[in-house]
Amino acid sequence: MAKEEKRDVDVAISIGVHPAVLLAAASSPPFGVSEYGVANKLLGGDLRLIKCEKVDAYAPAEAEMVLEGRISFEEEVEEGPFVDITGTYDVKRMQPVVEIVNVMHREDHIYQALLPGGPEHRLLMGIPREASVYEAVSKVVPRVRAVSFSNGGCGWLHAAVSIDKQTDGDAKNALLAAFAGHPSLKHAVVVDSDIDVFNLDEVEWAIALRFQAGEDLFVIPEVRGSTLDPSADQEKGLTSKMGIDATRPLGIPMENFEKAEIPESERASRISDKISRRLKEKSY
Amino acid sequence: MAKEEKRDVDVAISIGVHPAVLLAAASSPPFGVSEYGVANKLLGGDLRLIKCEKVDAYAPAEAEMVLEGRISFEEEVEEGPFVDITGTYDVKRMQPVVEIVNVMHREDHIYQALLPGGPEHRLLMGIPREASVYEAVSKVVPRVRAVSFSNGGCGWLHAAVSIDKQTDGDAKNALLAAFAGHPSLKHAVVVDSDIDVFNLDEVEWAIALRFQAGEDLFVIPEVRGSTLDPSADQEKGLTSKMGIDATRPLGIPMENFEKAEIPESERASRISDKISRRLKEKSY
Amino acid sequence: MAKEEKRDVDVAISIGVHPAVLLAAASSPPFGVSEYGVANKLLGGDLRLIKCEKVDAYAPAEAEMVLEGRISFEEEVEEGPFVDITGTYDVKRMQPVVEIVNVMHREDHIYQALLPGGPEHRLLMGIPREASVYEAVSKVVPRVRAVSFSNGGCGWLHAAVSIDKQTDGDAKNALLAAFAGHPSLKHAVVVDSDIDVFNLDEVEWAIALRFQAGEDLFVIPEVRGSTLDPSADQEKGLTSKMGIDATRPLGIPMENFEKAEIPESERASRISDKISRRLKEKSY
Amino acid sequence: MAKEEKRDVDVAISIGVHPAVLLAAASSPPFGVSEYGVANKLLGGDLRLIKCEKVDAYAPAEAEMVLEGRISFEEEVEEGPFVDITGTYDVKRMQPVVEIVNVMHREDHIYQALLPGGPEHRLLMGIPREASVYEAVSKVVPRVRAVSFSNGGCGWLHAAVSIDKQTDGDAKNALLAAFAGHPSLKHAVVVDSDIDVFNLDEVEWAIALRFQAGEDLFVIPEVRGSTLDPSADQEKGLTSKMGIDATRPLGIPMENFEKAEIPESERASRISDKISRRLKEKSY
Amino acid sequence: MAKEEKRDVDVAISIGVHPAVLLAAASSPPFGVSEYGVANKLLGGDLRLIKCEKVDAYAPAEAEMVLEGRISFEEEVEEGPFVDITGTYDVKRMQPVVEIVNVMHREDHIYQALLPGGPEHRLLMGIPREASVYEAVSKVVPRVRAVSFSNGGCGWLHAAVSIDKQTDGDAKNALLAAFAGHPSLKHAVVVDSDIDVFNLDEVEWAIALRFQAGEDLFVIPEVRGSTLDPSADQEKGLTSKMGIDATRPLGIPMENFEKAEIPESERASRISDKISRRLKEKSY
Amino acid sequence: MAKEEKRDVDVAISIGVHPAVLLAAASSPPFGVSEYGVANKLLGGDLRLIKCEKVDAYAPAEAEMVLEGRISFEEEVEEGPFVDITGTYDVKRMQPVVEIVNVMHREDHIYQALLPGGPEHRLLMGIPREASVYEAVSKVVPRVRAVSFSNGGCGWLHAAVSIDKQTDGDAKNALLAAFAGHPSLKHAVVVDSDIDVFNLDEVEWAIALRFQAGEDLFVIPEVRGSTLDPSADQEKGLTSKMGIDATRPLGIPMENFEKAEIPESERASRISDKISRRLKEKSY
């Protein structure tokens, strides 16, 4: 809009902020909703902003450092290549120049940075999508336990969802809803609620023991996916999506799928507690 | 809840009400939201209720007739077989008895009834689902034009959705979202926005000329569907869902798909107007 | 053949003829069979022809108007774009010139024309194909009730066939035969004989309630189809065909699929007759 | 019909007849067409029949032996197990008793018999089906060269068809027509016209070098097939059909598929003729 | 064999042995090859055995404890339920009784045990299968880098294989060979050699960014699998196998798939070394 | 290696050798294993070699003729087009020149040659692959009876394998192993051990009566195949592989699949022996 009106835009670039602010910045709210509003909500109403000294913009009061600048409506330079959440190089792009006109910072400030393509980057991008998928799946199955956007899936392309299912078909409905809840999602797996979706080993174990590829898998080819995926047809924006139902089939007796537990006597319990304590003391 | 507390429930059965009240009654709002609230919203705040004479319940003031009754918490009788939106016979069920204790009605009242399994029944059930699917699809594609739950699909099982697409994959994302928006949906078709989804002939024409089954179709077998569908595995609650992308492929020139228009001269226009007028006069 | 012999061909173009003549003209009989012969058969032997005045050709005696002409073996001009049964624009083509040398017509003749791409055009093209498909399917299943080439399928691409089936596999055999009976057919649906194939709503209802896409559908990709279909690979002449078996599975009790009927008392019957009569009187 | 009228049926069982009579007997003409008529047509009008001596029935005049009998309308005995064209044992069935009342035979007559399930049996059953498939495929592709019902396919379940194709999709249309032409057909393969369909090695060679299973194969599961196939679901009458397009793809240069020929000099030709002659002389 | 000869079998049960002995015990060599031979090979010829005191059997000289016993050829008792590598309960089985007749042990011996269904159990079972799969895949592709049987796959059901591929089809050939190399294998994934198959995150990352389910996946349903898999049809011994090709397609530029690296200046390098050192000192 | 060292290579081209030598030459042993070693093994240690007169090379002592030559490391000429096992023309290639410097031959020697693309060529190429596939399949199923590389499959692309199966899934495991045992294999069929895999008719009969394409077939598209297959994508080296399980399903009674046998009385036996003897006498 500023470009159309041929005017520069004042901007505050804040470094070293509360994680809730980072998360809000990654949450892509609909047009018209301020990310500061989201952050304030996450902080229980405790977000404080300050006005910049030289430009007409606000910054979180707790920031370690604030760069006050102006985004040019006409001057552009080539930027990048940057690294995206996938950990691969993005293309170089023409981007508007930001002129820094003032810098505010705390005494002994820390320049906090986030390595692109690393787990921190993926976590911030993934958490808001976990919320979207949780909400979408909740509309079609009785109960959703948890949603995880894993690190290996770049916090963007893979979701694992645990549910309590009523019928064998619920898991596939949950998969359809997961894809509707985050259109860039490429692969999704649904597991029972005794599986911890934040533990890759457990999710893989469910796929090993509760999944039959001939019945519990569906593939949707040539559907719109993420532009970040290099294996997709990036010109046409097409990818394949895959859904995996790794929940127990209800027709097979429940105990065949039960995870064995090692019974622990009181004495064994005391010994293992003692060992744990010693290991902790040593490590500090 | 009343059953657990072993108390009867007072009830007003209203006959001959405003269509907005019927629609609200069919809208399945989440637990805790009153259907009267929905009807009032649809009527722009103009819903008026009256208190019953003999029971503790309210009815729309405009109703032609109100049956005041009490739903027994313990006495049940076999009811049915009734006809559902599918037009087939439902099973007989044990249902609580309602004792009618009073009847209010207007002078020269009309007993308005709705034939079960007919278009009126399907329309009332379908309209709230059109809204759900519209909302779900809107989240994944740039623009949804219209959603239709057709009569042949019983206002419950079939959706036709028209969209403006940006990439060829958008239509399949729209299909996934449609299934997530109404978990009982069985078949869905997505068309371009030049197609009128309320006109079966146009939707069929799009399937004939803009759809390639080898690429533009997906089937999800053994997924939870509607219990009303007699072809489904009703014991396990499983059905097959099918999505059809009948939008123009972007890679083929647009003009190959254009609907021809018959040019009309000014004189032809005058003549056809005259004919239309005469036909109208005759029919009164 | 005339082109090879370098001679012009006399021709009579008849306007305003009996529908049987139009139908015969659309019936594509094998080489060597005259369309006039087909029309004469349809008319029970009552077709009368007259000889033209200026050219060596015959025309139906009942025509409103006859254009007598000669098709040039050498002169060609660009013709079109015309509109085909699909309702889309065909490509322009070089076609031989017809020189009109005489016009015969009745007094107060009517210039009867057929709008290309409209229902009348599709009906004339579709009826002969309904006969071909009827014959082909009759060879593989005990009894065919009816075949419909719908308007939405342009009278060319879609067939609905109703049969009495003996085994669950009969419907798929009927589909294979339908595709063999009209090689341009793209989509076909087979329904039970209680479904009226000329009523789109009923056919759609059968697909909603008697069809499971995971079992009752087949797709044949990369097969020769109609050159009129813009979604096909028109260079290689390849399309996808799809067959839908929307007949009741014999393994599920018949009554689950029965269409409910509204019982009518004698009195109700008398009232509804009276209402019908009044409505009719009003409309004249 | 005789059973309903409670009357025995006279019958002539002819042994040692012209192959045309055997073929006619295997041709399953529609009800009302006599197999003798078919045989007479095959023999160019030269079939001569004689009246039996003791029963009201006719037999071919050239038969080596004629058993004159009466089929009882009421007495039945268990028959079999016989061997069918598949070479496997059929179930035992209750069949009416035939009482032999007279035997006519030539002097020094030969008792000619046909081993069930052997090549002769399969040939007689297969030849009429080759004609049906030839006719059906001829309606959908420009030119059919030959049709073979192989011995391995029991003269009933497998067809190989050679065609001249115009587009890559013609072969699949030919397959659809083959299945429509003989509803018991289970597997069909279409090859180019340079392949001899009566030579299994050549057909297999075409499948090895001109077929890509990922594109050129289709399978129709759960369709009505032959009751003779023990792998089918014989209770429901369902089988899977498979079509194989082993024609050259038109998009790959023709010469890549050409069969190499060994050039022969005049001298080599003379030598090989000489060798052939000697081998022949030796073998007598 | 002893059972047939009706004689008991002497046995030494060794507890607390070298890992090479455990591994050899898990390696299922063909009949006739001694597991001690395998262990000796792994130990470079250094395996020392001692003869038992009371029974005719040998045990590793380094064992912490040796139970000398006799396996009864006739007495059996119910054993279990034990926990298998899957971590689920196995069925109870009748097994021969072992009578312990002598125990040898070191002074201050350690009773070393292996928790069934835990990572140690899976590791011992998996390593010999990694070798089998390595060998099988080596026969069909130019170079195999590594094979991993993951913990989530219970050391038995899941293999990840990294290869250097020459053509895009190599990965699928590698998958076929992996399934042939270990018939109980259920799911296999093939990745490029820049992916560490022992790191689940990296394997998942490759599936996210280098895999298209529409082309790079195959499923073989109804094939013989492991009897340990509760989701399989355990009565018929049938399961579904799934192969995933997560290698880079050669047709897309290599750099699109490159993992970004963070450049490190000399100074940064010195600082990060210093931090690492401090962290280490602290943790002891 | 010689090329890199810029030196010519001495070579003996032997014509008219023992079939074991031809077979060894076709067996593609791993690098480092001499084909003469393989031939010697096949001949039970009886292979005798002689040193050439003019070049440093050895030839089989029994050869009819030996061409002594030198392969140039630098001079190349265009060779071909030759005919490969497929019977089609190979492309012309640049190949090093061989200079013949001496010829040794027997008195009255025979110039034995092998027609390329004929059965002899295919047999020699196929037999070593039958051994590879036999070995690979033996690792995954209890018992392999025989493996045949048919003539129609060019001794390279098609394998038929007969096995004794324990579970219904064994046949598919055998197919996977067959593809792993010969990476160029395109199509494979597995049959029961009562089928003679060297008899095409029997294999086809098993496919007709013991195979259901909907369950017993798998296709792996876009996998590396043989460069000799003209239907493959020869640029990318990709083909489709197809596996066919034509073994009896264990769930259907065995007798439904039994091949009928014609019982022979002692007298019939004597007669048929006599006929056989006479036919033999005649043919000499």
Side-chain angles (χ1 to χ4, degrees), chain E residues 92-110:
Chain E
K92 292 184 188 179
R93 300 168 201 270
M94 292 307 291
Q95 292 289 334
V97 164
V98 180
E99 187 196 0
I100 302 299
V101 297
N102 190 38
V103 176
M104 298 190 289
H105 60 80
R106 302 186 166 280
E107 270 182 69
D108 291 330
H109 68 277
I110 293 166

Side-chain angles (χ1 to χ4, degrees), chain E residues 37 179 204 227 262 272:
Chain E
F179 288 120
E204 193 194 351
T227 53
I262 297 166
S272 85

Side-chain angles (χ1 to χ4, degrees), chain A residues 255-275:
Chain A
E255 59 264 28
N256 295 14
F257 293 101
E258 206 180 335
K259 282 189 266 187
E261 297 208 349
I262 298 166
E264 205 174 25
S265 68
E266 206 186 324
R267 208 187 138 215
S269 182
R270 256 181 290 129
I271 294 174
S272 86
D273 282 358
K274 212 162 142 187
I275 294 172

